[in-house]
Amino acid sequence: MSSTSRTGGIWVSLVAILMAIVGLLLVAGGIYAISEGGPFYYLISGLGTLLSAFFVHKRKPIGLAVYAVVLLGTLIWALCLVGLNLWSLVPRLDVVIVIGIVLLLPFIRRPLAANRLATIPLGIGVVLSALALVVSAFMDPYDIGGSLPTEQVNASPANPDNVPDGDWTSYARTQDGNHWSPLTQVNSQNVNQLKVAWVMRTGDLPDKSRDPGEATNEATPLEFDNTLYFCSLHQKVFAVDAVTGKTKWVFDPKLNVNPGFQHLTCRGVSAHTKPENAVDSSGQPVTTTDCTKRIIAMVNDGRMVEIDAQTGKVCQGFGDNGQVDLRFSHQPYTTAGEYAPTSPPVVTDKLIIVNSAVKDNGSVHQPSGATRAYDVYTGKLVWVFDAANPDPNEMPSEEHPHFHPNSPNSWSVSSYDKNLNMVYIPMGVGTPDQWGGYRDKDAERYPPGVIALNADTGKLVWFYQTVHHDLWDMDASAQPNLVDITQKDGSLVPAIYIPTKSGDIFVLDRRTGKPIVPAPEVPAPGGAATGDHTSPTQPHSELSLRPKDPLSDRDIWGATILDQMVCSIYFHSLRYEGPYTPPSTQGTLVFPGDLGMFEWGGLAVDPRRQVAFSNPISIPFVSTLVPRGPGNPRWPDPNGDKGGSGGETGLQPNYGIPYAVNLHPFLDPLFAKFGLFVPCRTPPWGAVAGIDLRTNKVVWQHRNGTLRDSLHGSSLPIQLPPIKIGVPSLGGPLATAGNVAFLTSSQDYYIRAYDLTTGHIIWKDRLPAGAQSAPMTYSINGRQYIVTYAGGHGSFLSRMGDYLIAYALPEQAEKK
């Protein structure tokens, strides 16, 4: 036997062995999949691959024909299941095609004595499979092309606070929540000329010895008086020259933090300017002369601080030496880290209206999430709305010294309509989240949804509930958008848009809370865990970014056929009957997941054109109830660390109810063993979408973001190629009258500009860290700046940093 023949024989044997291994894995996984109610494909293809491997090992050309059947069968199965969707086809075809190509190579084919006729079926299979992949690369069944209307149907939207066009005085520029600027110097024609104008670094980076895992930089700066005001990781407040990026002053609240905190987050600060003839909350003239302009900062250890915007010194007349302690004030429980204000408050002429995050899934003995209003000048408590109290406006007294424990909270940003004098508060359910058997009727009255209160008194005007008996942490998580919508007769209806984790956007008349867009009640799955119940129906808004069809085998992903099979087995092992499948001890697939389709970033709305830009995300979660009981090593020891473990994933203790809960994203179990976080759901996992608010239709929708930084934070320090796939984003968008939208919060480290009309990317720039925040814009001396805070996000696994970055057009471009 010649050396060439021996070499060919070795290669044939090696290929046969590898084929046999693949076949055995498919057979074993296929049997497991069938036992869980999954497809028969894996077993059938595994048996076919094993048979082909046997014939190849025996040097029989029929091995090629058998594998041709496997390949063609796989192609037909894949096309019938997912169609011409590249990212769905790749894991179903990649390994199968590679084996087919290898079998056609001369040093494999010749030892099998296979003539050309014997290779034709396999060749056809390889060509057709490759052709399907090539064609699918030019098609995207997810993509929706379209154009938003460009007509300005309301040329002069309401501006009750008279915010100058070039300023940004609230978290979303104004307290309507719209993240929109009327500036036009930077527009869709010249945005591709943007350059970095300056970079400021805070020097405030994570401290692993004391910070929790969910240490995040989510701040959006304010701008007025040519100064930017924002908060860094440890809630230091910075005043920065908005032209040069030079720091004017820094206020350090000396945050008291430990790793047991669930959050280390600051989304921004609020500001107040004393009006002429100012009166306080009791109607008395304000005589204090300090702090004509105030910065209100929330500190995660439970404090609210007022700072003079000019000097960076505390406002002495406010509270106790410039601060109010919210954690100890009338709270039933005061454990550090369980009560953490994370969002900037609403500020009226007289009041600061404060929401706060309460730790998720700790115990039934946690602080109250009551909303409170304080006099902006003195820090005096003026009113309260305690959602679980039978009388939510009951003020603290000797008979009622504490707020209601575990009362539902609002951790996000509220909106304020000065003309109607109403504050709109997005509510979350009281903790624990995934089992509600302990909740009484008062605790269930309001959350989740939006409460509309009289801003002066805290009295309820209306309430709208977005989920009944919430068992999925489906908070109303984003700041509501207040938009006056033009009707066919030219009249304006004051509307409120409520983006939710479920993907539904509820649209109401903000005067009354009555729906403008129908949200019918739809039957929901039953069968809650022992001691609990479910609502028989749930509201589904007709304006929604949630996929119309429930998840199925067509939505299950993987890098190869083998781990795609593992994800399929995992999928079928879980309880899933569509949206609102109740948590279970079996493990329940929750989609939309805990991050929701809309998080705190919300929508950016152009109120002139009455269109919206959004960045929905699509990551399912798994929720598993863990029964308590003797000998169960998986439930936490109540005598252990009472400070908690920090973060919102993993095993959560839920002390005081029958179940702990294990929460985590629906990830590929094989890759997770190596510290790689690969979703089991087919991409895109993140997108951008344009909505016409006059018709309440999604007009365009596109994948957003690339694979480039998807492995950052994993055990493999690999940078992937920038292939567009659609990655999650965590943060909000910005829209401008220049027909440009900006987004920085995607998993890859870019700031992107989009044509607001079509959603197409028209400019991007690489960022030095994750920018899980919402960008803003302002203008000084005729020059428009775009600013984002690239500080990273611990729970999003993006690179941490401390960069405040400003972009502007080159000066010669501005003059054109």
Side-chain angles (χ1 to χ4, degrees):
M1 181 183 294
S2 68
S3 60
T4 301
S5 299
R6 286 197 299 271
T7 301
I10 292 171
W11 279 112
V12 169
S13 297
L14 181 60
V15 168
I17 291 170
L18 293 175
M19 289 177 64
I21 292 172
V22 171
L24 286 171
L25 291 172
L26 286 171
V27 168
I31 293 171
Y32 196 173
I34 293 170
S35 71
E36 295 287 355
F40 281 76
Y41 161 76
Y42 305 107
L43 175 60
I44 295 171
S45 63
L47 291 172
T49 302
L50 278 177
L51 184 61
S52 175
F54 172 78
F55 285 123
V56 169
H57 177 68
K58 292 294 186 181
R59 313 297 193 269
K60 301 291 186 182
I62 193 175
L64 302 183
V66 172
Y67 196 76
V69 173
V70 172
L71 179 54
L72 288 167
T74 298
L75 176 63
I76 293 170
W77 167 73
L79 289 174
C80 290
L81 189 64
V82 302
L84 290 171
N85 182 337
L86 176 65
W87 289 106
S88 296
L89 283 176
V90 165
R92 292 168 171 85
L93 294 178
D94 51 8
V95 170
V96 185
I97 290 180
V98 168
I99 292 175
I101 293 173
V102 169
L103 290 176
L104 290 174
L105 295 175
F107 60 87
I108 301 297
R109 173 171 46 83
R110 286 171 183 163
L112 300 183
N115 58 34
R116 184 168 300 176
L117 185 63
T119 63
I120 287 177
L122 183 55
I124 291 174
V126 169
V127 170
L128 289 178
S129 298
L131 183 63
L133 291 175
V134 170
V135 171
S136 67
F138 294 94
M139 303 178 68
D140 187 353
Y142 179 85
D143 192 85
I144 300 172
S147 296
L148 291 170
T150 58
E151 177 191 5
Q152 292 191 6
V153 290
N154 182 12
S156 301
N159 183 15
D161 286 315
N162 296 313
V163 177
D165 285 359
D167 284 359
W168 191 283
T169 60
S170 296
Y171 172 72
R173 182 174 174 269
T174 63
Q175 295 193 98
D176 58 15
N178 287 334
H179 294 270
W180 174 80
S181 169
L183 297 177
T184 60
Q185 182 184 85
V186 177
N187 55 60
S188 55
Q189 301 304 309
N190 62 19
V191 68
N192 61 350
Q193 300 179 53
L194 281 179
K195 302 294 182 184
V196 173
W198 51 259
V199 177
M200 176 265 183
R201 300 193 67 173
T202 67
D204 189 5
L205 294 166
D207 181 345
K208 293 183 179 180
S209 68
R210 63 173 182 147
D211 291 347
E214 191 165 330
T216 72
N217 289 286
E218 299 179 356
T220 297
L222 309 183
E223 189 282 329
F224 55 89
D225 294 341
N226 297 348
T227 305
L228 290 163
Y229 300 93
F230 74 105
C231 48
S232 63
L233 185 66
H234 295 94
Q235 284 99 69
K236 295 179 181 180
V237 179
F238 289 79
V240 176
D241 187 297
V243 175
T244 66
K246 301 297 184 183
T247 301
K248 293 184 174 183
W249 55 255
V250 182
F251 175 81
D252 186 353
K254 306 297 183 182
L255 170 68
N256 182 16
V257 66
N258 65 64
F261 276 45
Q262 195 163 60
H263 304 276
L264 183 58
T265 295
C266 184
R267 297 189 179 92
V269 296
S270 297
H272 177 271
T273 298
K274 186 169 69 174
E276 293 184 16
N277 304 316
V279 296
D280 63 19
S281 58
S282 61
Q284 298 301 308
V286 176
T287 58
T288 181
T289 58
D290 71 332
C291 296
T292 300
K293 295 185 178 181
R294 302 160 185 258
I295 300 299
I296 298 100
M298 312 306 293
V299 187
N300 285 173
D301 58 18
R303 289 176 287 145
M304 174 171 58
V305 183
E306 277 197 352
I307 310 156
D308 189 307
Q310 300 300 316
T311 67
K313 306 297 184 182
V314 295
C315 300
Q316 295 290 337
F318 180 79
D320 180 8
N321 192 31
Q323 68 179 18
V324 172
D325 197 316
L326 304 171
R327 180 178 130 212
F328 286 96
S329 178
H330 310 297
Q331 282 288 6
Y333 303 101
T334 59
T335 302
E338 290 193 347
Y339 179 91
T342 56
S343 295
V346 160
V347 179
T348 74
D349 286 345
K350 298 178 289 186
L351 299 175
I352 307 169
I353 301 171
V354 179
N355 300 326
S356 296
V358 174
K359 180 179 178 179
D360 280 328
N361 301 317
S363 77
V364 298
H365 301 298
Q366 288 187 214
S368 172
T371 293
R372 292 175 261 180
Y374 292 87
D375 187 294
V376 73
Y377 301 104
T378 67
K380 174 189 173 184
L381 180 64
V382 176
W383 58 255
V384 63
F385 191 90
D386 189 356
N389 189 327
D391 175 7
N393 296 120
E394 184 179 8
M395 292 287 284
S397 64
E398 289 186 8
E399 294 76 23
H400 177 63
H402 302 123
F403 301 132
H404 196 286
N406 291 68
S407 190
N409 69 94
S410 176
W411 53 266
S412 190
V413 187
S414 297
S415 298
Y416 173 56
D417 186 327
K418 187 172 184 177
N419 290 333
L420 293 175
N421 194 34
M422 291 167 63
V423 59
Y424 303 92
I425 302 175
M427 295 292 292
V429 70
T431 189
D433 295 326
Q434 281 76 25
W435 189 85
Y438 72 99
R439 302 175 197 158
D440 61 25
K441 61 181 180 61
D442 293 318
E444 293 268 83
R445 279 178 303 178
Y446 300 115
V450 167
I451 54 174
L453 305 179
N454 180 289
D456 287 340
T457 66
K459 298 293 185 183
L460 182 69
V461 180
W462 57 258
F463 171 73
Y464 188 87
Q465 191 171 66
T466 54
V467 177
H468 309 317
H469 193 64
D470 180 15
L471 302 175
W472 307 271
D473 196 19
M474 288 291 120
D475 305 332
S477 53
Q479 183 181 19
N481 298 82
L482 311 183
V483 194
D484 295 336
I485 300 298
T486 304
Q487 305 301 294
K488 291 181 179 179
D489 61 3
S491 62
L492 292 173
V493 171
I496 180 171
Y497 283 73
I498 307 169
T500 63
K501 285 187 175 182
S502 69
D504 287 329
I505 303 173
F506 294 89
V507 188
L508 317 174
D509 185 318
R510 68 176 181 268
R511 298 166 297 186
T512 64
K514 302 298 182 185
I516 294 173
V517 173
E521 295 285 334
V522 175
T530 302
D532 202 355
H533 66 279
T534 60
S535 172
T537 63
Q538 294 288 354
H540 287 239
S541 175
E542 292 184 2
L543 175 56
S544 182
L545 273 295
R546 182 179 57 241
K548 293 181 180 179
D549 298 321
L551 297 179
S552 68
D553 277 302
R554 69 177 179 277
D555 301 298
I556 304 306
W557 200 62
T560 69
I561 188 65
L562 296 174
D563 56 289
Q564 195 273 336
M565 174 183 68
V566 171
C567 279
S568 178
I569 294 169
Y570 189 17
F571 171 66
H572 286 284
S573 73
L574 298 170
R575 183 180 177 191
Y576 178 69
E577 297 153 35
Y580 304 113
T581 303
S584 62
T585 55
Q586 172 185 347
T588 291
L589 188 65
V590 180
F591 182 70
D594 284 36
L595 282 179
M597 298 201 74
F598 292 106
E599 254 287 344
W600 48 268
L603 309 175
V605 171
D606 183 334
R608 292 178 181 170
R609 293 168 58 182
Q610 296 174 8
V611 298
F613 179 96
S614 65
N615 54 306
I617 56 179
S618 304
I619 301 291
F621 264 62
V622 176
S623 173
T624 306
L625 297 177
V626 182
R628 298 191 187 281
N632 187 344
R634 297 183 62 204
W635 63 277
D637 177 7
N639 298 313
D641 179 14
K642 296 297 182 63
S645 58
E648 294 183 75
T649 58
L651 194 62
Q652 311 284 295
N654 282 349
Y655 299 128
I657 67 172
Y659 302 94
V661 63
N662 198 337
L663 299 172
H664 55 84
F666 181 47
L667 300 176
D668 188 320
L670 286 182
F671 281 95
K673 292 182 182 298
F674 299 98
L676 302 177
F677 304 103
V678 179
C680 271
R681 181 180 185 262
T682 300
W685 309 300
V688 291
I691 305 168
D692 184 344
L693 302 184
R694 296 187 70 193
T695 62
N696 292 299
K697 302 294 183 185
V698 177
V699 174
W700 54 256
Q701 185 168 266
H702 311 301
R703 298 173 189 264
N704 186 65
T706 70
L707 286 171
R708 180 167 181 174
D709 300 300
S710 295
L711 293 184
H712 179 81
S714 73
S715 59
L716 296 179
I718 299 172
Q719 184 168 285
L720 296 174
I723 300 171
K724 185 176 180 180
I725 189 172
V727 295
S729 59
L730 194 59
L734 161 68
T736 74
N739 189 39
V740 184
F742 293 90
L743 188 68
T744 66
S745 57
S746 59
Q747 193 177 46
D748 55 351
Y749 309 148
Y750 288 95
I751 177 174
R752 292 182 172 90
Y754 307 79
D755 184 304
L756 183 57
T757 300
T758 65
H760 294 145
I761 297 170
I762 48 180
W763 171 80
K764 65 181 180 181
D765 191 44
R766 185 75 172 156
L767 296 171
Q772 279 67 55
S773 56
M776 51 82 72
T777 186
Y778 59 92
S779 179
I780 297 176
N781 298 327
R783 192 180 198 195
Q784 183 180 352
Y785 298 81
I786 312 294
V787 170
T788 188
Y789 187 35
H793 199 286
S795 57
F796 205 57
L797 299 180
S798 63
R799 181 181 296 122
M800 302 300 286
D802 63 340
Y803 306 86
L804 188 69
I805 306 173
Y807 291 88
L809 295 173
E811 292 192 21
Q812 63 270 22
E814 295 171 16
K815 297 174 182 178
K816 292 182 180 179

